[in-house]
Amino acid sequence: MRTRTFALTAVTTVACGAALLGPAALPATAGVPVPDTPPDTRVGPAPGGLADAPVGADLSMSADLPASADLPVSAEELLAEVRSCRQISRGRYRTDANRSRATVPVCGTTDAVFWKADMDIDCDGRKTRACNPTSDPYFQPQTAFQTSRGEPLDSARLPFVVVPAPGRIWDYRKSGLTGGSVVAVIHKGEVRYAVIGDTGPAGIIGEGSYALAEELSIDPHPTTGGAASGVTYIAFKDSRISPIESRAKAERRGEALARAFVGR
């Protein structure tokens, strides 16, 4: 919930222009990650597919199944569904506090909203070895949404997305989104599923947690890391999972929603 600056800008530049901001109307809540769903389990056909059939087996019935039936939804499939934008935001967002131009619209479909931006690193929430006032000079010990135990989220362990606080440009709540809503995040051909876990300044978009950056092979350092561009966020409407901290639930729900989104 801090004012974000361009992720690749030097710390000294950031310190000159940033101010701590957070949505007053929202409740106060924003090591090495240990995923409960290993990334390698999301790749390749499910056990029991044609590759596992014994030599000489009758494949006549299996041959009628779509070749992609058991494969995870790919980045290409998801991006094909968001090539055009039906803008639902009243205006556009800046990607960083020190950017004067607002270039990013929020777009809508029947089942989701999406935006294409950068990724700055959110290290707020639970204090850890990776996320703390020393590693992040703008560290905040809370996130907009909390765990099932009423505690701040752990940015270093939970992949989550930061959405702009409700404002005149767009109010995420009016798009069927809330804390725990599932988001497909795409970067350089990789797809990962996260939840909405924090809010940021009302005029800036494009931020994810330390853990989400690591999942996408993006440098997760809170002041020098991030991605300057090329990140697509697809947030599925009415998709809230509980508990918000369950990576396994986010993964399962995200894959199911993605399949429906691409028409599988």
Side-chain angles (χ1 to χ4, degrees), residues 56 64 66 68-69 81 97 107 143 146 214 224 228 257:
D64 295 330
S68 62
E81 299 296 322
C107 312
T143 48
Q146 301 174 324
E214 280 204 324
T224 61
L257 290 165

Side-chain angles (χ1 to χ4, degrees), residues 32-119:
V32 177
V34 183
D36 53 14
T37 305
D40 58 359
T41 63
R42 295 190 287 264
V43 180
L50 297 182
D52 298 319
V55 176
D58 182 6
L59 302 180
S60 58
M61 294 182 65
S62 298
D64 295 330
L65 295 174
S68 62
D70 294 324
L71 295 177
V73 176
S74 68
E76 291 75 14
E77 288 176 284
L78 287 168
L79 292 175
E81 299 296 322
V82 297
R83 283 178 295 192
S84 60
C85 173
R86 179 178 65 84
Q87 184 169 330
I88 62 171
S89 57
R90 290 187 177 182
R92 299 190 175 205
Y93 285 95
R94 292 178 295 157
T95 55
D96 296 288
N98 59 355
R99 290 291 179 94
S100 59
R101 292 187 60 206
T103 59
V104 181
V106 175
C107 312
T109 73
T110 302
D111 304 313
V113 300
F114 64 92
W115 57 95
K116 301 177 182 181
D118 64 345
M119 182 183 286

